[in-house]
């Protein structure tokens, strides 16, 4: 499977394991709820899909890289307990609770979540002393005499032996008690994820051109050299930070993440071109609709790879603008719900400032619980923090301006909220103008070429760009999309006619 299919399969497994019958018992008995064994090369996103599943299903997540643990931390420490059997008292060895199981119970206490996922990474790279304990855990869901609570799915991840010399093989007894999923790298799936996460445009456009550089692991005379999905994503974060600081990402920096020298060198050279094209083609002028005629001529005469890079630049900027609009839209929606709750409380006799303070406290508590449960991604965190901060600002403003009459409080809140709504409208209008200007420029430079078809397809596939078009519209996009659909239909009809003619020819009697 690719990582997207594996994510769906694990989600389905979790839902099946947590489904209860009419009497409240788990439909699949706990003893039949096999742990999931996720096997695949390193750095393809096995850990990240666990975080996504937890956030999307609302369950808890406890994650461990098991190679960091010893037998004692996994099984617990021994202690002597007195037991009476048949009238005789004996000293019996028992064990303290495993740190891993203890973390599960702590999360349940902190968040109130009773069901979740226990994720154990690098399961087949444990030490020799810990290996028997891990096999016992996969088979029986116990460490020593301590058992994993009901309602918790075990997902263990490991690397095939060709990627790690220290892996241990599982025996048939263990494999016959797990639900094994083999996962492989897939650039198409990663690119979809990259669009959703806002991976740097240089990384996405480079890998679009050099797809075979997305994931490679090679054994050379200098040792193991590799480029992985994790490396590209972490490099993307660094590029954003360096750009903000005005620092240069050179080959030496790239090699710290992409540890395959020829690919690192190639990408570093591409990144220089990426920034060069940004200046040469005056991307900001294109977005604002103030480009020069020579810019159109230069792109029209450029080689195919250069056209793809420029389109990648434009798509990256459009995605950024669309993402900012989407974030403002989500913020306004959340704030609107808060103010509706505030209005109801004020109508019931509460003071608006006190209500806003309580709503802010609730939002921060929700963020804390989501973080504790492993459900908090960056976008959700930023939205929650911004929402809580705005509620606190509204409360402070009411008190600073000494507004205490209920009707006046709500009038003030409506006025302040209107400013956020206006910002949403302004951002949408600006982004819409950027879409229109970009399409006008590409229509002049590329006309009805293959590159323009690629651009329309990328807008459709992009998470933020497609969201914007769906919610705010873009006439140029819809026009080109209709043309593509018409061309597809015409091509299909021609194929059907040709097939029908061929069939008729076969049916004619031979003389």
């Amino acid at each position: 499977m690719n990582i997207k299919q594996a994510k769906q399969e694990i989600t389905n497994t979790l839902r099946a394991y947590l489904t209860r019958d009419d009497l409240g018992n788990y439909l699949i008995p706990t003893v039949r709820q096999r742990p999931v064994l996720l096997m695949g090369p390193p750095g393809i996103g096995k850990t990240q899909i666990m975080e996504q599943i937890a956030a999307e299903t609302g369950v808890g997540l406890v994650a461990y890289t098991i190679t960091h643990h010893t037998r004692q931390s996994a099984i617990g420490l021994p202690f002597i307990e007195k037991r009476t059997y048949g009238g005789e008292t004996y000293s019996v060895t028992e064990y303290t609770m495993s740190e891993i199981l203890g973390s599960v119970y702590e999360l349940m206490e902190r968040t109130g979540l009773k069901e979740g996922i226990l994720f154990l990474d690098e399961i087949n790279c444990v030490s020799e002393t810990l290996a028997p304990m891990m096999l016992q855990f996969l088979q029986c869901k116990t460490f020593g005499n301590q058992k994993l609570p009901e309602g918790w799915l075990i997902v263990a991840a490991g690397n095939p032996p060709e990627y790690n010399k220290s892996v241990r093989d599982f025996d048939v007894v263990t494999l016959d008690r797990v639900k094994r999923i083999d996962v492989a790298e897939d650039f198409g799936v990663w690119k979809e994820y990259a669009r959703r996460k806002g991976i740097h445009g240089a990384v996405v456009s480079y890998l679009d051109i050099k797809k075979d550089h997305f994931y490679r692991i090679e054994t050379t005379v200098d040792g193991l050299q590799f480029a992985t999905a994790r490396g590209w994503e972490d490099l993307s974060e660094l590029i954003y930070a360096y750009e903000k600081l005005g620092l240069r990402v050179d080959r030496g920096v790239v090699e710290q993440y992409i540890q395959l020298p020829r690919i690192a060198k190639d990408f570093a050279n591409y990144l220089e071109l990426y920034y060069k094209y940004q200046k040469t083609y005056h991307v900001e002028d294109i977005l604002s609709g103030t480009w020069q005629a020579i810019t159109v001529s230069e792109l029209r005469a450029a080689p195919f790879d250069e056209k793809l890079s420029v389109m990648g630049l434009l798509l990256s900027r459009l995605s950024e603008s669309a993402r900012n609009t989407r974030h403002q839209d989500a913020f306004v929606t959340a704030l609107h719900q808060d103010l509706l709750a505030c209005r109801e409380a004020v109508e019931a006799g509460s003071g608006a400032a006190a209500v806003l303070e309580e709503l802010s406290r609730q939002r921060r508590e929700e963020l804390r619980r989501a973080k504790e449960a492993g459900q908090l991604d960056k976008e959700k965190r930023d939205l929650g923090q911004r929402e809580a901060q705005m509620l606190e600002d509204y409360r402070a403003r009411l008190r600073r301006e000494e507004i205490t009459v209920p009707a006046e409080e709500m009038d003030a809140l409506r006025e302040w909220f209107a400013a956020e709504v206006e910002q949403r409208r302004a951002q949408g209008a600006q982004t819409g103008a950027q879409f229109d200007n970009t399409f006008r420029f590409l229509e002049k430079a590329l006309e009805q070429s293959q590159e323009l078809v690629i651009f329309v397809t990328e807008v459709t596939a992009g998470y933020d760009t497609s969201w914007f078009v769906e919610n705010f519209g873009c006439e140029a996009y819809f026009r080109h999309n209709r043309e593509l659909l018409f061309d597809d239909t015409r091509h299909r009809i021609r194929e059907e006619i040709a097939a029908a003619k061929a069939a008729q020819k076969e049916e004619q009697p031979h003389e």
Side-chain angles (χ1 to χ4, degrees), residues 29 100 151 177 254 283 298 302 364:
I100 296 173
R177 287 175 168 81
V254 174
V283 169
E298 287 175 343
R364 294 200 182 277

Side-chain angles (χ1 to χ4, degrees), residues 34 44 51 64 83 133 144-145 149 194 207 243 259 266 282 292 309 321 325 339 343 372 393 414 416 421 464 488 499:
R34 291 189 173 201
I44 62 172
E51 297 169 353
Y64 274 94
R83 298 281 185 180
M133 301 301 103
N145 56 2
L207 293 176
E243 287 176 344
Q259 299 181 45
D266 195 44
H282 306 283
Q292 301 296 316
S309 297
S321 293
T325 305
L339 295 183
R343 185 184 67 185
E372 293 280 0
D393 289 348
R414 275 189 286 269
W416 300 336
V421 175
D464 293 301
D488 289 343

Side-chain angles (χ1 to χ4, degrees), residues 11 24 176 181 184 189 198 235 285 287 303 329 365 370-371 452 456 491:
T11 301
D176 196 34
I181 299 175
V189 170
L235 177 60
D285 289 347
L287 294 172
D329 180 77
E365 176 61 17
K371 182 178 180 181
L452 191 55
V456 174
H491 180 68

